[in-house]
Amino acid sequence: VPSLGWVQIIFFAGVIEGAFGFDDYKNGTPGEYGWKVLTSDDPAEKTKKLSAELANGRLAMMAIIGMFFQDGLTGSAWGDWSLYTDSPLRAFENELGVQEPVGFWDPVGFTADGDLLAFKRRRCVELKHGRISMLATMGYITPEITGKFPGYLSPSMDLKFADIPNGLAAVSKIPALGWVQMVAYAGYCELSGPTTRAANTSDYSDITPGDYGFKV
């Protein structure tokens, strides 16, 4: 756009702002500038149209910023990934877990530095936490569907499995020794696996993420 073109655009925007005033929010109806497009004689229908305008306007504000951002990175408002050749994420775009439609998904930018060992550490953690969460989900659902084990959870405390409620309510009902057993088992799983330190990514150089010695 030529310089004079920008001057014209800015001048027109100023005219629009000046013509309709800057105090309309104090003494007028928001969005009311003297000409009607979204209107109706039916108050309910008019409210529906004006609500739709607000919703669409909010979406459009997010959309135009996204299009600006994608255009700046890729040269295309539609964000063609193949055009963003300088992205550090390309180091991981063929990794397991990269799936359509989002491709390699890292909105926070953890992998922006292209550090392979840091990526392997996070992938190991992701797989471990994902497996635990899948088991936890089934543990949460199964008692609701199939019921509980028969008999006693703690004979010495006269506590039956049926006495333990489902969900978070069970936290306060589990005996202290039960918590000790669960913590001990979790510790055994951690210590019997590959030796890794949270702050030392070099520990992951010879590890295949998710491979802990047993196959399912």
Side-chain angles (χ1 to χ4, degrees), residues 63-76:
I64 192 61
I65 294 301
M67 294 172 78
F68 284 156
F69 184 77
Q70 292 176 149
D71 198 355
L73 289 179
T74 69
S76 168

Side-chain angles (χ1 to χ4, degrees), residues 176-191:
L177 187 58
W179 285 110
V180 170
Q181 291 172 333
M182 285 189 281
V183 172
Y185 178 69
Y188 167 76
C189 291
E190 288 289 341
L191 296 174

